[in-house]
């Protein structure tokens, strides 16, 4: 079967879900628990924008508008990152694939290497929660830990619990207007992947409206059983 899995092999996990669903938060936890590397195409693209590469320059305006960057650019950036040695331990794909073309390209890439997807987890939240989550999101610029003004504040205001840095960052696209464009892009271009993976038997749906720890417990159970 396409995307078939063998327990015990290098885990390839996919987190699907709209902006703010908790993909990044849960991917970091899976990274700790299963030793797999978190690969966020959003983070890779933001790094390319910051570095001013050719790919970054063409992605910048699209990301600011809340649209999807072209499959060509995203696949190039992801393929380069997957080729690095640390990915051999397994990866948690956070924010990829986002289109059917990307999912098909991933299937082809994995088939070539004789690898399968262990689980695709769809994090499901309602639109109101999604807008609130992105509006209050901030991240430690040093260690990458994610926080939220209301739902996951730092213990000491402005200081990262993990590394003690005061270098907190907020994303330019985490404003209510752009969030709505991103939600629209999700509904039109990414939501069809729920059916795509559903048909291949690798999909698990998770109610992502609960608290971070109980969602982590549910996802870990799914991954262990997959
Ligand atoms: P979110 O936290 O909203 O899910 P990400 O950090 O994953 O956001 O992505 C931020 C932006 O980067 C997206 O709005 C989109 O412009 C671009 N992007 C990230 N991943 C992809 C992808 N797989 N395909 C196309 N565009 C992407
Ligand atoms: P995504 O990567 O899907 O865009 P994030 O993991 O960055 O989402 O989460 C978006 C924001 O919501 C962050 O500020 C994060 O701290 C917070 N958050 C994540 N999961 C939950 C949850 N289950 N309940 C409340 N807030 C959450
Ligand atoms: Zn930190």
């Amino acid at each position: 079967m396409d995307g078939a899995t063998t327990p015990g092999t290098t885990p390839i996990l996919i987190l699907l879900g709209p902006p703010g669903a908790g993909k990044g938060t849960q991917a970091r936890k899976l990274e700790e628990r299963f030793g797999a590397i978190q690969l966020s195409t959003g983070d890779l693209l933001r790094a390319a924008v910051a570095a001013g590469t050719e790919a970054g320059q063409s992605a910048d305006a699209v990301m600011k508008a809340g649209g999807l960057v072209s499959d060509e650019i995203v696949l190039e950036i992801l393929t380069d990152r997957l080729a690095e040695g640390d990915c051999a331990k397994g990866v948690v794909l956070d924010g990829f694939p986002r289109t059917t073309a990307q999912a098909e390209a991933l299937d082809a890439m994995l088939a070539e290497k004789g690898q399968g997807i262990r689980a695709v987890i769809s994090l499901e939240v309602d639109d109101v929660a999604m807008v609130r989550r992105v509006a209050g999101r901030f991240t430690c610029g040093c260690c990458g830990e994610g926080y939220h003004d209301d739902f996951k504040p730092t213990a000491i205001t402005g200081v990262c619990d993990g590394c003690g840095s005061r270098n907190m960052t907020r994303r330019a696209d985490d404003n209510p207007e752009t969030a709505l464009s991103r939600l629209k892009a999700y509904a039109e271009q990414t939501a069809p992947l729920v059916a795509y993976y559903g048909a291949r038997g690798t999909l698990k749906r998770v109610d992502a409206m609960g608290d971070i720890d109980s969602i982590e417990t549910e996802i870990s159970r799914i991954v262990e059983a997959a």
Side-chain angles (χ1 to χ4, degrees):
M1 191 201 299
D2 254 359
T5 65
T6 316
T9 56
T10 310
I12 295 176
L13 306 170
I14 295 178
L15 293 179
L16 278 182
K23 301 181 297 297
T25 303
Q26 297 298 335
R28 282 176 76 85
K29 292 180 177 293
L30 287 167
E31 185 173 57
E32 276 171 35
R33 191 182 277 248
F34 296 98
I37 299 290
Q38 173 192 10
L39 284 192
S40 155
T41 40
D43 286 347
L44 294 173
L45 287 165
R46 280 184 288 277
V49 171
T53 63
E54 206 178 306
Q57 283 174 26
S58 44
D60 194 20
V62 181
M63 292 171 77
K64 282 198 177 111
L68 290 189
V69 175
S70 73
D71 292 331
E72 193 190 354
I73 289 179
V74 172
L75 284 165
E76 189 186 309
I77 285 186
L78 183 81
T79 310
D80 287 352
R81 181 65 187 86
L82 277 173
E84 289 176 31
D86 58 345
C87 292
K89 322 192 240 189
V91 292
V92 185
L93 295 172
D94 154 14
F96 178 93
R98 258 173 154 103
T99 63
T100 303
Q102 290 178 16
E104 287 169 351
L106 178 66
D107 280 347
M109 213 187 293
L110 295 178
E112 218 169 85
K113 295 191 204 163
Q115 290 180 325
I117 295 165
R118 180 133 154 208
V120 179
I121 294 155
S122 170
L123 297 176
E124 308 197 336
V125 287
D126 67 37
D127 295 2
V128 175
M130 170 262 159
V131 174
R132 271 194 81 185
R133 286 193 191 174
V134 299
R137 165 161 58 189
F138 59 101
T139 305
C140 174
C142 281
C143 72
E145 185 62 26
Y147 295 97
H148 191 280
D149 292 326
D150 304 319
F151 306 131
K152 191 186 163 190
T154 52
I156 302 168
T157 307
V159 180
C160 177
D161 296 351
C163 76
S165 166
R166 289 179 175 273
N167 174 21
M168 294 297 178
T169 62
R170 285 184 195 257
R171 281 168 46 179
D173 59 347
D174 275 349
N175 60 73
E177 300 76 46
T178 311
L180 289 177
S181 307
R182 287 153 64 202
L183 190 57
K184 192 163 172 273
Y186 179 81
E188 288 172 0
Q189 292 172 268
T190 311
L193 296 182
V194 172
Y196 180 94
Y197 288 115
R200 285 161 175 72
T202 34
L203 187 85
K204 301 284 179 213
R205 291 165 177 267
V206 168
D207 177 356
M209 293 294 289
D211 63 83
I212 293 174
D213 290 346
S214 54
I215 296 166
E216 180 191 3
T217 305
E218 189 175 347
I219 293 177
S220 297
R221 224 179 5 234
I222 290 170
V223 174
E224 272 154 14

